Amino acid sequence: MESVATNSSVAEEEDDGDSDVSCLMRVGRNSDWLRFYENSEITVGRGLDVTYQLLSPSCPLMISRLHCTFRQRDDGQWTVTDKKSLNGVWVNGSRIPAEEAHQLKLGDSIQLGVPIIGSEVEFNYVLVKRPLKDIKEFFLKGPKDSPKVVILPKKPKRKLVVEEVEPSTSKPKLYRCSSAGKTFAKACPLSPVKCKQKLGHIQTQQCGASRGAQEVDQPSHILCDTDNLQTYSQNILILRRQVDSTQKQVESLGEEPQQTDPLREVQVRELQAQLETLRSKMHQMEALERSFSQTQQQLEAQKTQQEEKLMKKKLQDALQEQKKVIDELALSRQAYEEILFAKNKELEVTKEEKEKACAQKEEVVTQVTEVLENELQCIICSELFIEAVILNCAHSFCCYCIKQWRKKKDECPICRQAILSQTRCLALDNCINSMVENLSLDMKARRQTLIAERKGERT
């Protein structure tokens, strides 16, 4: 299946200068623009196998090896996917989730490698669509001036065979040879031509391994990329396998019977040299892995310390807020206590006033009662005057009582003067009747009963 666009297809597309193309315009620069190719996938990162390689001079770790990908959908819209980068992809000021395609629109702001701690954004782009002839000179060239564009096939024409998907990893067949009653498994003896071919293949693998080790040794900032620990482990496993394979080949060549082949000793020496080189590279990779693990542990420890500091700060803020609330509640309580004290004081004053008023009322009633008992009572019946009359000597009696008295004696019961005349006193009757209205019900009932009895006797 074709996955990488050839230079001829890219050239044909660039020749059409009148067509509009989508690209990422670098903010503040008229250079280093990123062009989007139709029906393709654009990869961006600091690694080598990407469409556009971005290298930050100020912060090398700002861009991951494979930072993000841009893909065009069937409807022509472009999407961006964050490939688990360290510093993320920011669209319109918000970081997008990793491994999720985010749809882009013309005019969207795309920021790559924004540091977590915070600094100026170095790789800031805007999605635009312009004529190719106007912006052709602004594009950023990929590795070796030919961007690696992955063409997205619309429909697969055939299914892949299992051998194409998973290449054979079977080892060369072993043959058996018996010696002293024991059976050993050993590789088949190789002819000089095949041995040279195998040496060339091993040298190619050695060159690839050395290039991988050189890539590991070149940038010092790789130690801080937390996504490459698994890659280093896989490289170490591959180097160990190559060391084992080379060692077996050396042992097999050493155990072979003496032959007239003059290249055998040369092959053995070359294989031994390759074995030593592979072992040194493996030791370097192991040391690098250990340093990487230590750096990762330090980063985790720093992250834990930062989280602890953040939690302490949040706890202090919460305690301050709680203290403020407690202070406010104390002030409110003090204000309510002052209000309650004032209300209680007012109630006490009101209660004293009521008690004084009741005492005054009782005193008035007592005085009225004394006046009634002393001045408004008839000395004959010892009751309040009923139809009071005044004699010529100015003493007052009940009309009924004085009549009954005059039947026995015709003189005043008090001063013993002769009774010459008696007169009704309506003012005294009205005063007594008004006072009786404020007396108790028993006294009122008793007075009514006396009045009724005297009227009955009179009739």
Side-chain angles (χ1 to χ4, degrees), residues 336-353:
Y336 283 126
E337 288 179 352
E338 292 178 355
I339 293 172
L340 289 175
F341 180 76
K343 293 294 183 182
N344 291 331
K345 192 172 183 180
E346 291 179 358
L347 289 174
E348 290 178 357
V349 172
T350 306
K351 186 176 180 181
E352 291 177 356
E353 292 178 353

Side-chain angles (χ1 to χ4, degrees), residues 351-370:
K351 186 176 180 181
E352 291 177 356
E353 292 178 353
K354 286 182 179 180
E355 290 178 354
K356 289 181 180 180
C358 291
Q360 291 177 358
K361 185 176 181 181
E362 289 178 358
E363 185 178 358
V364 170
V365 171
T366 303
Q367 291 177 358
V368 170
T369 303
E370 290 178 356

Side-chain angles (χ1 to χ4, degrees), residues 372-388:
L372 289 173
E373 290 178 353
N374 298 328
E375 302 296 334
L376 301 178
Q377 281 184 353
C378 177
I379 63 171
I380 299 175
C381 63
S382 299
E383 297 290 344
L384 296 176
F385 292 125
I386 299 175
E387 295 181 357

Side-chain angles (χ1 to χ4, degrees), residues 192-204:
V193 178
K194 291 184 178 180
C195 189
K196 289 181 180 181
Q197 292 177 356
K198 191 168 185 180
L199 277 174
H201 179 65
I202 293 173
Q203 289 176 358
T204 304

Side-chain angles (χ1 to χ4, degrees), residues 77 115 121 140 150 168 181 246 255 276 306 349 359:
Q77 297 291 332
V121 180
L140 172 69
V150 178
S168 176
T246 306
E255 292 175 358
E276 294 297 329
Q306 290 178 357
V349 172

